[in-house]
Amino acid sequence: AWHFRAPSSASSASSLGAGGGGRSEGGGAEVAASTLGVWLAEHRVAGTGVYAGLFVALFMVLVPTTPMELLAGYVFGFRWAFALLLALQPLAHSATFLAARRAGLLR
């Protein structure tokens, strides 16, 4: 099974531009995504819960979830991500529907 690996300290120092104030040319989003991926991979059970909550929350506020789906495959592996998303996507759709219904948007 393939597992997510954090970048080595030497490669992360060069990618962050050693001596460049800790900022990479690509911005902080790359570092944040890498950090999230590492944390999710290291904390398998808690990471799954955090990922599930984040996925449903982002779906409900109309953020495209394709990057989150790709992240799941990258961090958890194809089989676990497939099973996880098979459960999460209907849950996210239902939660969005129920929230809209409760807000009075669907009567």
Side-chain angles (χ1 to χ4, degrees):
W2 187 85
H3 298 286
F4 181 80
R5 293 185 188 171
S8 67
S9 59
S11 66
S12 63
S14 64
S15 69
L16 292 175
R23 301 188 134 233
S24 66
E25 293 180 22
E30 294 167 357
V31 174
S34 174
T35 303
L36 176 64
V38 170
W39 190 88
L40 290 173
E42 288 176 354
H43 301 87
R44 191 70 145 183
V45 175
T48 302
V50 168
Y51 175 84
L54 190 59
F55 182 88
V56 171
L58 290 174
F59 184 88
M60 290 181 71
V61 295
L62 303 176
V63 173
T65 56
T66 301
M68 288 293 291
E69 295 164 2
L70 295 172
L71 177 67
Y74 186 65
V75 172
F76 299 121
F78 175 78
R79 289 184 181 145
W80 181 242
F82 183 82
L84 181 63
L85 290 168
L86 193 63
L88 278 181
Q89 288 177 341
L91 178 68
H93 286 98
S94 298
T96 304
F97 173 78
L98 292 173
R101 182 117 190 211
R102 187 163 179 89
L105 299 175
L106 298 174
R107 292 214 182 234

